[in-house]
Amino acid sequence: FSRHSWPACTEAAACGTMDRQLHLLAPRLVDKLSTRDLQQTALASSFARWGLSTALDVTLVILTNECSGDLFDEELPGGAAHTTGKAAYPLATSAARGWSLPWKPGVPLPGCFDWYASSWKLACSSLEALTAVRGSLGALLRVPPKSGGLLDRVAVLGAPWAPLPSMPAPSLPLPCLQRVWASASFSLPGPARHELRAVPELFMQGSAAPGTHVQACDVKRVRIQGTTPEDLAAIDTLAPGLRELEIAPNDFDCDVDQFPGDSISDDEMDELPKMHVAPDSARFSNLQRLQANLDTSTLVILGGFVRSLPQLRRLGTVAVSEGDTQVGGMGMLQCLA
């Protein structure tokens, strides 16, 4: 090397060393820094911007006018967080557990991060909604214009306000699919196991209709509307392999005294709370986490079920009054300790 080229080589070596150091430190910084500090650090240099972007866990939630028309603008971050299970950017205090970023067509992405370097994922209400924004979103993310470009990044399909009417076809390439929001009223024939769609997390919206049987494989987490016989029958084939079960808050009490005599009409009968039953603990023998509103009324139904789960490690949302702690949730928490 000539003496004139030496400074340039030294600078390049220093940049390479800094590049490697940032690549190693980025995951630690993402876990420790606040959202605001991450933004400021990413703007400090191109190396910091690139390094932090590679470590970010971001899910872009596509919110078109058709699929989110009932949500006000101030509700979009909450809707995105509920859909993905991750705190919404930039309201999130940190990125330790990942971000959900609500995005609508015509809105630019935050410029403080390198989206080409980031391993972002997508959440969309349907594949039709994804197709509608494929060109504009693909350009923002610098995705090559190919058919599977965005499909390869879909992690969440469906939404709480727009559940899928049926499971996506098993032949559809969705390698990153992690969660599906689906209507509990659909029913499909039972194909062979190799034809089933692998869905790690299945969130079912609404009460299951009689005869509904969910067809999916490798499901580890399920959310159901309640524990009616129809709800439980719908996931019966999934129950032995489940690790997590979430039960939506429900009115488990059915007070028919408010409809005296024979004055209950057919419409009123449909509006009455449905009868809930305790799940069969033998079918859920591998369950490790249960999320349910375990108050004094639901403990009558779910209390024995909780105590009979041999693998249970986590119990969420226990709401009992002070006088009921000995017979209610605190007793079960002691059993889990």
Side-chain angles (χ1 to χ4, degrees):
F1 297 103
S2 68
R3 64 178 181 177
H4 298 291
S5 63
W6 177 255
C9 295
T10 304
E11 182 179 358
C15 291
T17 302
M18 183 180 299
D19 190 2
R20 290 191 295 271
Q21 290 175 344
L22 280 173
H23 183 71
L24 296 175
L25 291 176
R28 300 181 184 179
L29 293 176
V30 167
D31 290 341
K32 301 298 182 182
L33 296 181
S34 66
T35 298
R36 182 177 180 180
D37 291 338
L38 280 175
Q39 293 171 328
Q40 294 177 345
T41 304
L43 293 172
S45 71
S46 58
F47 293 106
R49 181 171 178 263
W50 180 87
L52 292 175
S53 298
T54 59
L56 287 176
D57 177 14
V58 182
T59 301
L60 296 173
V61 184
I62 301 173
L63 299 171
T64 61
N65 293 330
E66 291 76 11
C67 73
S68 62
D70 295 334
L71 296 178
F72 296 103
D73 288 343
E74 59 270 18
E75 296 176 326
L76 295 181
H82 187 38
T83 301
T84 62
K86 301 176 182 178
Y89 174 90
L91 303 180
T93 56
S94 72
R97 297 185 178 181
W99 283 334
S100 63
L101 176 61
W103 178 83
K104 301 184 74 172
V107 178
L109 297 173
C112 55
F113 299 110
D114 189 340
W115 296 103
Y116 184 75
S118 173
S119 57
W120 47 266
K121 300 295 188 295
L122 291 176
C124 54
S125 60
S126 66
L127 295 179
E128 290 76 13
L130 179 63
T131 302
V133 299
R134 183 173 59 185
S136 58
L137 183 59
L140 288 175
L141 296 169
R142 299 166 63 185
V143 176
K146 60 179 182 178
S147 57
L150 294 181
L151 283 178
D152 292 343
R153 301 292 190 102
V154 173
V156 181
L157 198 54
W161 57 86
L164 299 180
S166 61
M167 283 290 180
S171 58
L172 194 64
L174 296 169
C176 291
L177 186 62
Q178 180 68 23
R179 176 180 295 187
V180 168
W181 290 85
S183 171
S185 61
F186 72 84
S187 179
L188 294 177
R193 179 174 173 83
H194 68 275
E195 297 175 344
L196 297 179
R197 161 65 65 182
V199 181
E201 299 181 4
L202 177 60
F203 283 34
M204 300 174 62
Q205 291 292 89
S207 299
T212 300
H213 297 284
V214 177
Q215 303 295 336
C217 66
D218 300 328
V219 182
K220 302 303 180 185
R221 180 181 180 185
V222 162
R223 183 183 189 272
I224 55 178
Q225 189 68 25
T227 60
T228 66
E230 293 80 9
D231 292 331
L232 297 176
I235 63 168
D236 184 68
T237 57
L238 310 179
L242 290 182
R243 299 293 184 270
E244 301 183 44
L245 176 65
E246 297 185 14
I247 303 173
N250 266 287
D251 185 2
F252 282 76
D253 293 327
C254 183
D255 185 10
V256 297
D257 293 337
Q258 58 181 312
F259 301 99
D262 298 329
S263 62
I264 304 179
S265 65
D266 292 339
D267 292 339
E268 290 171 335
M269 284 297 296
D270 293 336
E271 295 176 359
L272 283 176
K274 295 185 177 181
M275 180 178 294
H276 296 262
V277 298
D280 183 0
S281 58
R283 297 294 295 166
F284 294 88
S285 58
N286 291 313
L287 202 65
Q288 298 178 5
R289 173 181 173 267
L290 174 66
Q291 181 78 23
N293 186 22
L294 296 174
D295 55 20
T296 52
S297 61
T298 59
L299 283 174
V300 176
I301 298 175
L302 299 178
F305 170 67
V306 172
R307 295 176 186 273
S308 302
L309 294 172
Q311 302 294 329
L312 190 64
R313 297 292 181 270
R314 296 175 58 193
L315 180 65
T317 318
V318 178
V320 294
S321 61
E322 183 176 352
D324 296 325
T325 55
Q326 295 301 321
V327 296
M330 295 305 295
M332 286 187 291
L333 287 178
Q334 293 172 4
C335 291
L336 295 176

